[in-house]
Amino acid sequence: MATFQRHRLTPWLLLSPQLAIVAIFFFWPAAQAVIQAFYVEDPFGLGRVFVAFENFTRVLASAEYYRALGITITFSISVALGAMALALLLAVLADRVIKGAHGYKTLLIWPYAVAPAVAGVLWVFMLDPELGLISAWLEAMGIDWNHQLNGGQAMALVIMASIWKQMSYNFVFFLAGLQAIPKSLLEAAAMDNAGPWRRFWTITFPLLSPTSFFLLVMNSVYAFFETFGTIDATTAGGPGGATRTLVYKVYEDGFIGYDLGSSAAQSVLLMLLVGLLTLLQFRYLESKVQY
C-alpha cells in the first residue's frame, strides 16, 4: 500500500516545480489584476477605494479603447495569417529533396531564437529613414518611407517584424506535418495526372489542417500578447497611437499614466477577449479539421 501511495505522489512531485512557477508568475498576477480592476488605487500604493465596475465602465466608454481594439484586430489578423502563409510556403520549399536542405532548414529556424524586442530593433535599423538598407531600396523605387511620421508605415513595420519573428515557430510545425504525410499518397495522385497545385490543395493542405488549426490558435495568442516587446522597441505605440494595441495600452495606462485600476480592467477584458476568440476557434473551426 505504501508503494502504491508513493507511486501516486511521484508525478505530482515531479510536476511541482513547474506548477509552482505557473502559480506564482501566471495565476497569482492574473488574480491580482482581477481584484485590482475593482479599485481605484493610489499610484504609490498608499491606498485604494473600491469602485465596483466603474473602471470597466470608463474603459468601455472610451473612444481610445475602441481605436486600440480596431488596431489590435487588424494587427493580429495580419500577423497570424501572414506568419502562417509565409511559413507554409517556406516549409513546402524546404521539404523538397535538394542539396543542402538541412542547412536551409536550420537557417529558417534561427529567427525564433531572437527576442521580440531584438527583432523589432533589427527591422528598425533596416527601415531607418536615413540609414536603413530597405528604406534606401524603397526610396530608389520612389517610395518615401518614414515610419516615424506615417502611421500606416509604422503599422507595416511592426507587422513585418512580428511575422519574421513568428515565422520560424510555424515553419517547424508545418515542416514536421509535411514530413508525416505518406509519400505514397502524393505519388498515387501524380500517377493520376494531378499537378503540383492540385496535389497540394486536395491532399497536402487537408492533411495539414490539424497543424494549421493549432498554429492559428497559437499565432492569435502571440499577436495579442507576445508582440509587446516588438512594438515597444520599434514604434512605442506611435506615431499618434497608430500602433497602440490593447496590450500596449494596458502598459501605457498602468506604467506610464499610473492609472492602475483602468489598466487592470483592460487586462481583464483582454484576457476575456482572447478566451472568447479561442473558444470561437474551437467551436467553429475545429469541426473543419480533418484528423
Side-chain angles (χ1 to χ4, degrees):
M1 186 66 177
T3 303
F4 176 73
Q5 291 291 341
R6 185 169 65 252
H7 285 307
R8 288 186 60 185
L9 291 175
T10 299
W12 291 104
L13 291 174
L14 295 174
L15 287 172
S16 58
Q18 183 64 34
L19 292 175
I21 291 174
V22 172
I24 294 172
F25 293 101
F26 291 92
F27 291 144
W28 175 253
Q32 289 298 305
V34 173
I35 295 172
Q36 201 172 38
F38 295 96
Y39 289 86
V40 170
E41 297 198 29
D42 183 273
F44 301 102
L46 300 178
R48 61 181 183 176
V49 178
F50 180 75
V51 293
F53 291 96
E54 183 178 325
N55 288 323
F56 293 95
T57 303
R58 186 155 47 93
V59 168
L60 294 174
S62 170
E64 281 297 316
Y65 181 78
Y66 291 103
R67 183 191 179 197
L69 177 60
I71 291 171
T72 302
I73 293 173
T74 302
F75 173 76
S76 300
I77 292 175
S78 302
V79 171
L81 297 183
M84 290 178 63
L86 184 58
L88 179 57
L89 173 62
L90 293 174
V92 170
L93 296 176
D95 191 45
R96 297 180 178 180
V97 181
I98 57 176
K99 187 176 181 180
H102 291 292
Y104 294 137
K105 293 172 186 176
T106 302
L107 291 174
L108 288 169
I109 293 171
W110 274 2
Y112 190 64
V114 179
V118 177
V121 171
L122 289 174
W123 280 85
V124 165
F125 279 131
M126 290 190 293
L127 286 165
D128 184 87
E130 300 295 332
L131 305 174
L133 180 62
I134 297 179
S135 59
W137 292 343
L138 292 173
E139 185 177 357
M141 292 186 292
I143 300 174
D144 184 20
W145 179 275
N146 191 339
H147 62 271
Q148 298 170 355
L149 300 176
N150 189 304
Q153 293 178 355
M155 176 61 76
L157 169 61
V158 295
I159 288 174
M160 288 187 292
S162 300
I163 287 176
W164 181 80
K165 172 69 178 69
Q166 186 68 2
M167 174 196 66
S168 300
Y169 178 86
N170 299 336
F171 172 79
V172 172
F173 284 92
F174 276 132
L175 184 61
L178 288 170
Q179 293 176 344
I181 296 175
K183 301 302 180 185
S184 58
L185 293 176
L186 300 175
E187 292 171 357
M191 292 177 64
D192 289 336
N193 294 323
W197 189 252
R198 186 177 180 185
R199 292 199 300 270
F200 176 80
W201 284 111
T202 59
I203 298 175
T204 303
F205 191 71
L207 291 176
L208 283 176
S209 57
T211 302
S212 301
F213 176 71
F214 166 77
L215 290 177
L216 178 62
V217 175
M218 298 304 296
N219 279 258
S220 300
V221 175
Y222 162 79
F224 270 91
F225 290 108
E226 297 181 34
T227 52
F228 168 82
T230 303
I231 295 173
D232 190 50
T234 53
T235 63
T243 57
R244 184 186 294 122
T245 60
L246 289 177
V247 69
Y248 199 82
K249 191 173 187 304
V250 169
Y251 162 75
E252 277 191 336
D253 290 351
F255 290 89
I256 298 178
Y258 295 109
D259 191 351
L260 302 179
S262 175
S263 177
Q266 291 177 57
S267 66
V268 172
L269 292 172
L270 181 57
M271 287 190 292
L272 293 175
L273 177 62
V274 174
L276 177 62
L277 176 62
T278 305
L279 180 63
L280 291 175
Q281 288 173 335
F282 274 92
R283 176 66 177 83
Y284 294 103
L285 295 181
E286 191 182 22
S287 60
K288 296 179 174 57
V289 175
Q290 301 180 25
Y291 291 101

